[in-house]
Amino acid sequence: MMRRRAWITFCLAALCFGFLPALIRSEYFLNLFLMFFLYVTVAQSWNLLGGFTGQISLGHSAFFGTGALITRLIWTAGVPIVPALIAGSLSSVVLALLVGVPCLRMRSAYFPIGTLALAMIAQITVANLFPLPGSLSRGYLTGYSMLSRYYLALLVAMLTVAVVYWIVRSRTGLALVGIRDDEAAAEAMGVRTFKHKVFALMVSSWLVGLGGGIFAYHQVSYYYSAPFELSWSFLPTLTTFIGGLGTIAGPILGAACFLGLSEIFAISLGEVHLVVFAFTFILVVLFVPGGLMSISTKIRSLTARIARRATRV
Amino acid sequence: MATLLEAQGLYKFFGGLTAIKGVDFHLNEGEILGLIGPNGSGKTTLFNLIAGVFRPDRGSIRFGGRDIAGAGCADVCQMGLARTFQITRPFPLLSVLDNVKLGRAYGSKPARTLSLAETEAIEILDFIGLGTKRSTGAGRLGLIDRKRLELGKALATKPKLLLLDEIMAGLNPTEMEAASNLVIRIRDAGVSIIIIEHMMRAILKLSDRVMVLNTGEKIAEGLPGDVIADKQVIEAYLGVDTHDAQS
Amino acid sequence: MGQTLVYGVLNGALYGIIALGIALVFGVMRYLNLAQGSLIILGAYGILFLFHLGVDPFASMPLIAFLLFLLGGALFWASFSRLIALSEAGRIKNSLLISFGLMLLIDNLATLLWTGDERSITPAYSGLTFGIAGLRFPLIGCVGVLSALVIIVALHLFLARTYFGKSIMAVSQDHEAASLMGVNVNLTCLVSFAISVGLASIPSALIGLKSFSPTVGIQWFNKGVIVVMLSGIGNINGVFPAGLFLGIMEAISVYFFGAPYREVTGLVVFVLVMVLFPKGLFKRQEL
């Protein structure tokens, strides 16, 4: 029942977003939707590790940036984008294995700080290694098509949501939420918790690396260290918490709110949306641990109760 | 009767403190072994050694013929040794059903598919009397239901040996009676049990054999009736549980 | 090389002072205050504002310290106080999340108020140096070392000798036992949090005299947290040596690898220490 409804929602979303470019020609809106897909990818991949497994990472910018860097370098060297994207995202996984796994070995409360340190190391190192911005050469610019970027970003976002949904519904997903709720109890019930945490980190870094690849494919010119900026770590944390930690719809909702607010304020006051989001984030952590999703569930059960009462009358 | 669990010369030190001091014991298949002793005598530490939370500093633990000392909780559980925690540890954000389903999905004889795990988890919930609360969030259960769930989670891993750590603390006499019956039914289903309990009456009634720990040492072992008449045991409990022990 | 080491020691003292505030809340409450760096930068903007009115940065420091103390108390009352009842791991995780939001809030408010431009406080004496044994010592850096020493000794005496300091020590060891002995745990936590935010005023002045912008707070926080981890959790006496250790390590790495990798050194040391020595390097006694 649940599964079928999720299928229908998923296919409807794919159809709507798939046919959207036929209705809306505006470059601005296509760009906006592309950013939405990118944010969903980043937030949902973060959610697998942070929301479902309970390991709050502040280092996703390192994986996002690595995906972007490697994809860009391979793609601009003349390789088609899809293999470049795959290579880029796999290099994120390699980074996660090399440096993220030691972070998982720390006491779990320090995981956020350890990953934050990693993100900073990666940012500084890349800024030092590649001090100049990378711009597309003339050949790439003449062939630049917004539509192909739009569809690739859509594909990656759909893939991310599908993969996370599939894992969370599986046997492994049950173990992940168990680890989040009580690691020692999960271990005592036969779950090899460290292995599962590594698995969640690998999948999460792979998906966010794909997101980085989309960034590299989309942007015409940027400093190589730009996708390594800490804001790419902060964004998924904020949006997922506000949307609803550990739910599939939460990060999507959070990403939509974030993008909407930033567009509203972009014209007048640059950083206001971040102030609003940071403040909301604190309120959510303190008072509404379930985020927007839990509010919507509450409203739904409330309206259901009212409806039931109304029919009884 | 075959020996299921056998421990020899167990030692565990915490800094300068010797928590377990040269304990030997064994458990036969289908047996209920009561583990008693005053507070801080090392009962829970002994459980933690058996369940793989700590590695003993000296000594061996053999379970079904294999050495499990320091094997790690998950591995020990997958070999068929489950435990409950003294302070219940449900997965608070998961439903009661998912709590138990996790044990069926991992544990020692995991169900082949997740839907099979769910069917079997529902059977376990019916067995422990939580069938009607399967979709409740585990964090919202009351004390008795939390205790039931703790037992259900351990049973869900299909253990050959079950370690029960004070599952009756805080229950009233009627509930305790029901819990005792449940323990006996679990044993009759072929599970061997080691049980820690402060309620003397319950443990004497349940156990085939009783072992007494005091300051990390085994001071007595034998039939329930013999053990409580032991002078050393009475001394160890003096002023704490003597009244209860004699009644 | 000698000159590099001088700078290393001066920077290290600054790291030590930054770490002091972080170590205090971490020791007493197991709160990890990610916003400490942003609060330091906020203080620097305050000192800059007063400097434009003609007040010397070191003269305005006590006022800024007092204002930050009040702000810290208010922040604790409004948000962090709600976490005291949680388990240790829960306190670390939730305080980290709240202060993460706070950091973004302060940084972006600062950007709105004062733009993202890099600022610097420049009194007449800011560039002065003096020479001893062929090495150059910048005046402000030396004042920084001195103030670090004074503050660390003062804090130590406060914790060890005063009644309130002792109640802070008691709470840091065991909340429940302290409250049973008649210590007002909530008040003690509030005051120690406020003190730690007030302590930010010293690095505010020292960093203000270098240069700052709204988003650099996290980098200074990182220096502080590296020092705290090196020193060992709850070990306030180890903070200053650990700060010097980090400063000197950085100086040596600058000598060998060049300035761009100075930041990386500390972070790499940090990650290695977290993985290899989870209890810290200078662990001697509990706070």
Side-chain angles (χ1 to χ4, degrees):
Chain A
M1 182 60 202
M2 257 321 266
R3 219 160 263 241
R4 188 201 274 174
R5 232 176 70 190
W7 246 123
I8 293 170
T9 319
F10 189 78
C11 294
L12 272 180
L15 270 176
C16 287
F17 287 122
F19 281 109
L20 198 71
L23 303 171
I24 299 173
R25 291 279 154 73
S26 146
E27 194 97 328
Y28 166 78
F29 276 107
L30 288 186
N31 243 315
L32 196 63
F33 277 104
L34 186 144
M35 286 318 278
F36 173 63
F37 302 148
L38 190 55
Y39 285 3
V40 166
T41 307
V42 174
Q44 194 68 271
S45 64
W46 185 92
N47 191 30
L48 179 68
L49 189 64
F52 288 106
T53 320
Q55 311 297 314
I56 307 284
S57 155
L58 292 180
H60 262 49
S61 55
F63 308 128
F64 182 80
T66 306
L69 181 72
I70 304 297
T71 306
R72 182 79 165 197
L73 291 179
I74 294 179
W75 177 51
T76 49
V79 176
I81 183 62
V82 173
L85 194 62
I86 292 169
S89 63
L90 290 181
S91 61
S92 295
V93 180
V94 172
L95 182 75
L97 282 177
L98 287 180
V99 292
V101 171
C103 282
L104 283 175
R105 286 233 179 257
M106 298 179 204
R107 283 166 67 188
S108 71
Y110 302 128
F111 183 70
I113 294 291
T115 47
L116 178 66
L118 277 182
M120 298 184 91
I121 294 172
Q123 186 191 2
I124 298 163
T125 310
V126 171
N128 287 332
L129 290 176
F130 302 92
L132 295 173
S135 301
L136 291 181
S137 63
R138 187 169 300 228
Y140 282 92
L141 278 178
T142 47
Y144 191 95
S145 116
M146 188 59 212
L147 270 186
S148 66
R149 269 99 189 142
Y150 176 91
Y151 279 115
L152 199 61
L154 174 62
L155 194 73
V156 166
M158 294 304 251
L159 177 76
T160 304
V161 175
V163 166
V164 174
Y165 180 83
W166 179 69
I167 289 177
V168 166
R169 291 250 142 190
S170 74
R171 175 171 175 264
T172 308
L174 194 58
L176 296 184
V177 287
I179 291 168
R180 173 193 66 193
D181 274 17
D182 190 330
E183 196 171 333
E187 184 86 28
M189 288 174 82
V191 178
R192 293 196 169 87
T193 54
F194 184 71
K195 249 164 102 178
H196 280 82
K197 288 197 283 186
V198 170
F199 172 76
L201 175 67
M202 281 172 65
V203 176
S204 183
S205 61
W206 172 58
L207 293 171
V208 82
L210 283 175
I214 296 296
F215 179 92
Y217 186 47
H218 174 230
Q219 301 288 323
V220 174
S221 169
Y222 64 91
Y223 282 95
Y224 283 108
S225 61
F228 283 90
E229 269 169 20
L230 293 181
S231 53
W232 287 106
S233 284
F234 299 162
L235 171 103
T237 317
L238 283 179
T239 50
T240 307
F241 261 92
I242 289 173
L245 196 64
T247 61
I248 294 289
I252 304 173
L253 198 64
C257 291
F258 188 82
L259 203 63
L261 266 186
S262 60
E263 282 306 305
I264 291 168
F265 288 115
I267 309 139
S268 51
L269 298 151
E271 309 294 327
V272 170
H273 69 287
L274 277 171
V275 173
V276 174
F277 251 70
F279 190 67
T280 319
F281 175 82
I282 298 173
L283 292 182
V284 165
V285 171
L286 279 175
F287 302 111
V288 204
L292 288 175
M293 282 303 290
S294 74
I295 296 177
S296 87
T297 325
K298 263 176 210 154
I299 291 174
R300 209 182 303 152
S301 74
L302 199 72
T303 48
R305 207 180 308 156
I306 292 168
R308 224 176 299 143
R309 197 166 300 167
T311 49
R312 211 177 297 154
V313 171
Chain B
M1 222 184 287
T3 307
L4 183 61
L5 182 77
E6 188 172 28
Q8 270 171 348
L10 284 186
Y11 275 88
K12 180 71 197 170
F13 310 106
F14 292 117
L17 182 89
T18 311
I20 296 291
K21 219 180 285 178
V23 172
D24 304 298
F25 74 96
H26 74 278
L27 178 81
N28 296 324
E29 260 170 38
E31 195 179 23
I32 298 182
L33 175 67
L35 181 54
I36 60 174
N39 283 327
S41 58
K43 301 184 298 284
T44 298
T45 306
L46 187 60
F47 265 22
N48 282 334
L49 289 178
I50 301 169
V53 177
F54 304 133
R55 175 187 287 277
D57 291 310
R58 254 184 265 160
S60 72
I61 307 171
R62 299 185 74 79
F63 175 62
R66 289 165 73 184
D67 190 7
I68 57 163
C73 298
D75 291 34
V76 169
C77 174
Q78 290 185 4
M79 289 178 213
L81 200 160
R83 59 95 55 96
T84 65
F85 289 93
Q86 188 179 353
I87 298 159
T88 59
R89 301 185 80 151
F91 303 110
L93 297 181
L94 305 191
S95 68
V96 167
L97 178 62
D98 281 348
N99 265 268
V100 175
K101 203 161 97 182
L102 181 61
R104 281 315 300 123
Y106 286 83
S108 73
K109 289 171 203 145
R112 276 199 319 282
T113 66
L114 208 53
S115 58
L116 216 59
E118 184 160 320
T119 326
E120 293 176 19
I122 291 172
E123 282 167 22
I124 291 168
L125 285 178
D126 288 336
F127 177 70
I128 56 168
L130 275 178
T132 53
K133 294 192 176 160
R134 68 174 76 135
S135 50
T136 313
R140 297 220 297 271
L141 292 179
L143 174 76
I144 301 145
D145 285 339
R146 284 169 69 112
K147 297 256 177 197
R148 285 201 177 109
L149 180 60
E150 190 68 20
L151 190 61
K153 279 166 65 190
L155 285 179
T157 65
K158 292 276 143 126
K160 288 198 281 266
L161 169 57
L162 186 57
L163 309 178
L164 299 176
D165 197 347
E166 293 204 28
I167 51 162
M168 297 188 200
L171 302 188
N172 68 34
T174 328
E175 289 159 356
M176 226 182 290
E177 182 70 30
S180 300
N181 290 336
L182 200 57
V183 170
I184 289 172
R185 279 167 65 199
I186 292 168
R187 193 267 305 269
D188 291 347
V191 182
S192 314
I193 294 169
I194 304 181
I195 182 166
I196 295 178
E197 203 57 67
H198 270 300
M199 301 296 158
M200 279 300 164
R201 212 187 306 240
I203 206 151
L204 295 179
K205 195 184 127 201
L206 278 175
S207 311
D208 301 311
R209 244 178 344 122
V210 174
M211 169 163 105
V212 189
L213 282 185
N214 190 28
T215 61
E217 277 175 292
K218 185 169 87 174
I219 57 169
E221 185 183 354
L223 296 174
D226 299 343
V227 164
I228 55 156
D230 188 292
K231 205 170 151 239
Q232 255 190 305
V233 176
I234 294 169
E235 269 170 22
Y237 270 89
L238 202 74
V240 188
D241 269 327
T242 9
H243 176 76
D244 202 15
Q246 285 168 342
S247 62
Chain C
M1 185 70 192
Q3 190 61 50
T4 323
L5 280 179
V6 168
Y7 285 120
V9 170
L10 298 181
N11 280 331
L14 176 57
Y15 300 158
I17 293 200
I18 296 170
L20 206 55
I22 300 169
L24 185 63
V25 274
F26 199 77
V28 176
M29 287 163 274
R30 292 292 183 273
Y31 284 1
L32 207 44
N33 183 8
L34 211 62
Q36 185 77 7
S38 301
L39 289 161
I40 290 172
I41 299 306
L42 194 64
Y45 277 106
I47 293 174
L48 179 69
F49 176 76
L50 291 171
F51 177 68
H52 285 319
L53 297 179
V55 187
D56 182 81
F58 286 100
S60 59
M61 213 162 72
L63 175 67
I64 295 298
F66 180 66
L67 291 176
L68 284 174
F69 178 85
L70 292 184
L71 177 65
L75 285 175
F76 185 86
W77 175 78
S79 53
F80 290 96
S81 59
R82 287 164 211 282
L83 310 179
I84 290 182
L86 299 177
S87 68
E88 183 179 323
R91 271 182 273 156
I92 296 177
K93 193 166 160 182
N94 282 285
S95 64
L96 193 131
L97 287 170
I98 290 176
S99 59
F100 165 69
L102 198 62
M103 176 192 86
L104 292 181
L105 193 64
I106 296 173
D107 288 0
N108 289 295
L109 276 177
T111 312
L112 283 178
L113 289 173
W114 299 295
T115 76
D117 297 345
E118 200 157 292
R119 306 295 175 101
S120 170
I121 303 166
T122 49
Y125 53 80
S126 62
L128 286 186
T129 58
F130 56 89
I132 299 171
L135 298 173
R136 301 191 68 75
F137 290 85
L139 181 68
I140 289 167
C142 293
V143 174
V145 175
L146 274 181
S147 55
L149 283 173
V150 169
I151 288 298
I152 282 168
V153 171
L155 188 70
H156 180 76
L157 289 179
F158 168 72
L159 290 175
R161 299 284 163 81
T162 67
Y163 186 78
F164 200 81
K166 281 180 181 163
S167 67
I168 290 180
M169 299 283 274
V171 171
S172 78
Q173 280 164 26
D174 192 328
H175 280 208
E176 207 173 329
S179 75
L180 288 174
M181 303 312 276
V183 174
N184 184 337
V185 172
N186 282 340
L187 183 71
T188 309
C189 289
L190 184 138
V191 173
S192 33
F193 193 87
I195 290 176
S196 88
V197 176
L199 282 175
S201 59
I202 306 155
S204 288
L206 296 174
I207 292 168
L209 288 161
K210 293 169 179 269
S211 76
F212 59 97
S213 69
T215 49
V216 297
I218 183 83
Q219 290 167 24
W220 291 108
F221 164 80
N222 247 301
K223 302 285 186 200
V225 86
I226 293 168
V227 171
V228 173
M229 292 295 169
L230 286 177
S231 135
I233 289 151
N235 178 12
I236 283 195
N237 293 336
V239 162
F240 193 69
L244 292 186
F245 176 75
L246 177 63
I248 292 168
M249 284 286 292
E250 284 189 359
I252 292 171
S253 84
V254 169
Y255 191 78
F256 286 109
F257 303 110
Y261 288 98
R262 194 176 80 175
E263 315 293 316
V264 174
T265 317
L267 293 163
V268 168
V269 168
F270 169 70
V271 172
L272 286 180
V273 168
M274 292 265 277
V275 174
L276 301 177
F277 308 98
K279 282 182 177 164
L281 286 183
F282 293 88
K283 182 85 175 168
R284 274 190 226 102
Q285 61 184 85
E286 284 290 322
L287 167 83

